[in-house]
Amino acid sequence: MKRILLFLLFLSTTIYSQNLNMQNGSFTRCSGTFYDSGGNAGNYGASESYTMTICPSTPGTYVQLVFTAWNVEGEPFDFMTIYNGSGTGGTVIGTYGDTSPIPGGGCSTMTNQIASSHPSGCITIVFQSDSSLQYAGWAATMSCTTNAGGDPLPPPPPPPANSVCGGSDPFCADAGPLEFPNVTDADCVPDAPAVIAAQTCLGSAPNPSWYYIEIDQAGNLNFTISQTTGPGGTGTTLDVDYALWGPFPNAAAACADFTLGDCTADHTCTGNVIDCSFNSSATETATIPGAQVGEVYMLLVTNYNGAAGYITMTQTNAGMGGAGSTDCTIVCPTTTGVNPSCGASNGSITISGVNPSTTYTVTYLDDGVPVSVNLTSNAAGNIVISGLNAGSYTNIVTNMSGCTTATSNITLSGGIAPVLTSITNNSPICTTGNAIFNLTGTPNATVTYNINGGAAQTIALNAGGTATVTVTGVSANTTFNATSIASTSAPISGNGLSATGGTTPANATGAISTLGAAATAGNCALVNNAANILTITLQHTVPAGTAITVSIARDTNGGVVNISDGTANLGFSAGPNDVLQRVVFTTGATTNTITITRTGGAVWVDGVQYTFTNPGCSVAIANTSTVVVNTQPNAGTDGGVTICDNSVAVIDLFSLITGEQAGGVWTRPTGTGGTFNAGAGTYTPAAGATTSTFLYTLTGIAPCTTDTSLATVTINPQPNAGTDGGVTICDNSVAVINLFSLITGEQAGGVWTRPTGTGGTFNAGAGTYTPAAGATTST
């Protein structure tokens, strides 16, 4: 029974214990943590020689190790080799000792996590250590991936700018302790040049951080330099070493012209090396004796341990007799802005160059309205004010020691979206009228539109924000479709906001002098062989194609510079010496800086000025308005017919008028007799009817008018002269014969004539005949 229990206990350990310590054997894992033999908290042992194979618990996958900690002595003493497959006969994935297996660690060229690409999905790990030093070892997360050879790694971040002399950061000390992030092994930064380490006291210069100091008050300066893993002196102390050079006219001159000397452990130095220390202490003391106003000194601080942390530098003799001071204006924050996108409040202002992870009070005017906010800088030493609209942000002040009076101005543009507030029209109108659309929106904005889905057209709103579109002679409903609206920006002007490099770079900021003015050290920065590059930061980020006027002059006949934004370039080497000229440099890319680089002699730079207009903010819209067009009724042309009263056929009234539109209504305003069918538009006259009129009416919808036409039916009676008759008389009958008595049923009003016969008297008017003697027959 004990044997079974032991066996079950062994199975439980094998299946459910996910973590592995380095040992001999084969294991199946797709999760857990892989440690050195000392486990999570201990060091690995002396004289170890282990071979371990890890295979995937999920078929068809590959074991992957993601190292999160690595601390071994390195080859040839303590190191690890990882093989593809289930033994040491497979290909070598990598050997790790001096080279770290942590992604990006030790500046490795790894592009994927460490994983098997063998069909089995297994890896085999061999670790060997000697008998001398034992370190904390490693930790790695175990997983299984479907990617043979491991999951791809993201590209490493760029190294800190101040890891080389040319990117040195400004530093001041007399305003109190200032703290900066250090350079670490994870930054993949090469050591400082070997010649610098060889000719100073530094045995090596790993993970270099470069700073420059400018003297504000002459005297001696003593600095304490310390390094810890946490801010404010917290965390674990880290070995810090340094070398100090000077004096130089500026930081660029220091990087271009190190006069190397030698420096011993007792701080005895030669050449431009002022002070140096190379030992295992986390706190060092540096000294600059007899510094003079305006001198610049270059400081190299190294991080021998390589762990991430912070460097704190403090002047320890500030305010004491004979003590000098540093100029803290060189470390005052710089300010840049990001314009909001159209119609959004996603603009931002970044204040760079403050202490990392520190809370500051930032005050500014937002289009003249005071704002005060408490913001904490990030680990890179940047404060970001986010969620901003387009506008003018002025008098931006950060309560950083020594910089509370330094202000900056930023204009953010492009964020105010134009709007089309309304479209009104003159609907309804009648056929062939004019459709009129009245637009109201953002003043001076441009509206893109079409009529009934036709070709795109544009119209600009006036300064009052209105415009009218008229479509003439329309015959059907007409729709105005607004598809977009674009605003225009007012011109923005600016100068240099700040400058670095050159001699007295501040002289290259602000308004420029008049054309032809004298160029002197009092109003210009000097670019010469000791200060090869002057970089001017503009007040705004300007678009490509911006014309920047540079106020500039030669100081020597050989003065030649190149003006550049990194894309476009313009050479300058003309005009009389020391007399300001103006040249126009056109930007080739969106930028907020230009550089002026010396290629010969010396050149004065007074500053820059520019004017630009940001692109209008365009917003897609879908505003529509329809003018309803009502048809003008046409009841046709009046007409009629004349019939005899014995015509009893049905009369089609529509045939009596011409050109009429359908849908009208028939009425009979006059006449009687017969049958009238208004619905069918017919009339059947009755006997004895005389005249009837019929009205055809089409009712108009405003503003169209009602139209009518008249159909007239005239009915004439059928004459009746009666029934033929006659009389026979004797020729001796001379009495008057009444001719009407000879016919029957006659109507009055007829005309009597005597077509035949002679003799006697015929009275046509009275209708009588008196025969004469001898007459025979008369009709």
Side-chain angles (χ1 to χ4, degrees):
M1 187 67 178
K2 288 182 180 178
R3 189 173 301 169
I4 294 174
L5 287 174
L6 287 172
F7 177 66
L8 290 174
L9 181 61
F10 173 75
L11 283 178
S12 175
T13 303
T14 303
I15 296 173
Y16 297 109
S17 176
Q18 296 300 312
N19 295 340
L20 277 177
N21 292 352
M22 189 67 204
Q23 56 190 290
N24 290 320
S26 296
F27 302 88
T28 300
R29 292 289 189 278
C30 273
S31 62
T33 304
F34 170 47
Y35 295 107
D36 59 273
S37 61
N40 185 28
N43 295 352
Y44 58 82
S47 302
E48 290 187 350
S49 180
Y50 289 124
T51 300
M52 172 187 284
T53 296
I54 306 175
C55 291
S57 55
T58 302
T61 61
Y62 306 88
V63 172
Q64 176 170 273
L65 298 179
V66 179
F67 282 83
T68 57
W70 180 257
N71 188 2
V72 302
E73 188 179 2
E75 300 99 320
F77 313 109
D78 306 339
F79 60 96
M80 173 188 292
T81 304
I82 302 179
Y83 298 87
N84 231 336
S86 57
T88 57
T91 57
V92 175
I93 296 174
T95 298
Y96 307 101
D98 297 332
T99 299
S100 170
I102 296 176
C107 303
S108 72
T109 58
M110 294 168 58
T111 58
N112 287 52
Q113 305 284 11
I114 297 172
S116 172
S117 59
H118 191 270
S120 67
C122 303
I123 59 172
T124 297
I125 305 161
V126 175
F127 179 71
Q128 294 177 320
S129 65
D130 66 5
S131 59
S132 56
L133 299 176
Q134 292 82 48
Y135 289 79
W138 63 85
T141 300
M142 295 179 291
S143 64
C144 291
T145 177
T146 57
N147 292 322
D151 296 333
L153 290 168
N162 73 333
S163 62
V164 295
C165 184
S168 58
D169 284 333
F171 159 67
C172 78
D174 54 296
L178 291 185
E179 192 168 61
F180 305 89
N182 64 0
V183 175
T184 73
D185 285 345
D187 292 318
C188 295
V189 171
D191 291 358
V195 65
I196 290 178
Q199 299 191 46
T200 63
C201 72
L202 301 177
S204 63
N207 303 307
S209 298
W210 294 84
Y211 301 94
Y212 66 92
I213 304 164
E214 186 168 335
I215 304 304
D216 184 53
Q217 180 177 329
N220 300 322
L221 293 97
N222 299 330
F223 303 107
T224 295
I225 306 170
S226 61
Q227 187 171 209
T228 57
T229 57
T234 61
T236 304
T237 59
L238 298 174
D239 177 13
V240 65
D241 303 307
Y242 74 91
L244 182 64
W245 292 267
F248 302 100
N250 51 56
C255 295
D257 190 22
F258 279 122
T259 303
L260 299 177
D262 195 8
C263 206
T264 62
D266 64 358
H267 296 226
T268 300
C269 304
T270 61
N272 273 352
V273 182
I274 300 299
D275 204 354
C276 184
S277 179
F278 183 73
N279 60 49
S280 60
S281 174
T283 301
E284 300 282 5
T285 300
T287 301
I288 302 177
Q292 299 300 307
V293 175
E295 290 179 339
V296 171
Y297 292 84
M298 183 63 70
L299 176 67
L300 167 63
V301 181
T302 67
N303 176 12
Y304 191 85
N305 179 276
Y310 299 86
I311 300 167
T312 302
M313 295 188 276
T314 308
Q315 183 177 353
T316 57
N317 68 331
M320 298 181 182
S325 65
T326 54
D327 183 357
C328 279
T329 61
I330 66 172
V331 300
C332 289
T334 58
T335 307
T336 56
V338 175
N339 292 331
S341 54
C342 187
S345 298
N346 58 357
S348 64
I349 293 175
T350 298
I351 303 171
S352 304
V354 298
N355 293 332
S357 306
T358 304
T359 300
Y360 292 91
T361 299
V362 181
T363 60
Y364 57 91
L365 298 178
D366 179 355
D367 285 334
V369 177
V371 177
S372 179
V373 290
N374 292 323
L375 298 171
T376 301
S377 58
N378 59 27
N382 297 326
I383 299 172
V384 179
I385 309 172
S386 57
L388 300 180
N389 295 313
S392 179
Y393 298 85
T394 57
N395 294 340
I396 303 171
V397 179
T398 307
N399 70 327
M400 184 176 178
S401 299
C403 297
T404 53
T405 59
T407 65
S408 58
N409 303 317
I410 293 289
T411 298
L412 302 182
S413 57
I416 300 177
V419 294
L420 186 59
T421 307
S422 67
I423 309 174
T424 61
N425 62 49
N426 62 332
S427 182
I429 62 173
C430 198
T431 309
T432 72
N434 295 340
I436 300 173
F437 301 94
N438 300 304
L439 282 58
T440 302
T442 301
N444 303 312
T446 298
V447 177
T448 300
Y449 69 94
N450 65 66
I451 301 297
N452 293 332
Q457 306 175 63
T458 60
I459 188 169
L461 305 184
N462 61 23
T466 63
T468 299
V469 175
T470 301
V471 184
T472 60
V474 298
S475 59
N477 290 357
T478 301
T479 300
F480 178 97
N481 301 300
T483 57
S484 67
I485 183 169
S487 63
T488 56
S489 296
I492 300 170
S493 298
N495 301 102
L497 174 66
S498 61
T500 58
T503 301
T504 60
N507 287 347
T509 62
I512 63 176
S513 304
T514 57
L515 178 65
T520 69
N523 66 344
C524 295
L526 183 64
V527 184
N528 57 14
N529 63 343
N532 275 318
I533 301 176
L534 174 69
T535 300
I536 300 176
T537 300
L538 309 179
Q539 287 179 304
H540 309 92
T541 298
V542 300
T546 300
I548 299 179
T549 298
V550 183
S551 180
I552 193 169
R554 293 194 303 176
D555 182 46
T556 63
N557 290 336
V560 180
V561 293
N562 179 62
I563 304 169
S564 177
D565 61 3
T567 300
N569 296 277
L570 175 68
F572 172 79
S573 60
N577 292 344
D578 305 324
V579 177
L580 288 173
Q581 313 295 308
R582 289 189 177 182
V583 297
V584 177
F585 168 74
T586 302
T587 59
T590 300
T591 186
N592 70 338
T593 60
I594 63 170
T595 59
I596 300 175
T597 304
R598 184 195 76 90
T599 57
V603 171
W604 296 109
V605 180
D606 171 46
V608 299
Q609 70 179 19
Y610 54 86
T611 299
F612 70 98
T613 301
N614 272 330
C617 176
S618 181
V619 179
I621 55 177
N623 297 33
T624 64
S625 180
T626 299
V627 169
V628 175
V629 179
N630 294 325
T631 302
Q632 173 58 47
N634 179 15
T637 303
D638 293 351
V641 64
T642 300
I643 62 173
C644 191
D645 68 356
N646 64 352
S647 300
V648 294
V650 176
I651 299 171
D652 179 7
L653 298 177
F654 285 106
S655 67
L656 305 185
I657 58 176
T658 56
E660 77 279 1
Q661 295 170 346
V665 177
W666 283 103
T667 58
R668 182 163 70 169
T670 64
T672 57
T675 303
F676 169 56
N677 189 331
T682 60
Y683 169 60
T684 305
T690 56
T691 299
S692 289
T693 59
F694 302 89
L695 199 64
Y696 184 66
T697 302
L698 284 168
T699 302
I701 301 175
C704 299
T705 59
T706 297
D707 192 36
T708 61
S709 62
L710 192 66
T712 302
V713 179
T714 301
I715 307 169
N716 292 329
Q718 174 60 47
N720 182 14
T723 304
D724 294 350
V727 65
T728 301
I729 63 171
C730 188
D731 65 357
N732 62 354
S733 297
V734 295
V736 176
I737 298 171
N738 181 2
L739 297 177
F740 287 105
S741 66
L742 304 184
I743 58 177
T744 57
E746 78 282 358
Q747 293 173 345
V751 178
W752 286 100
T753 60
R754 184 164 66 170
T756 65
T758 58
T761 302
F762 171 55
N763 188 330
T768 61
Y769 170 62
T770 303
T776 56
T777 298
S778 290
T779 60

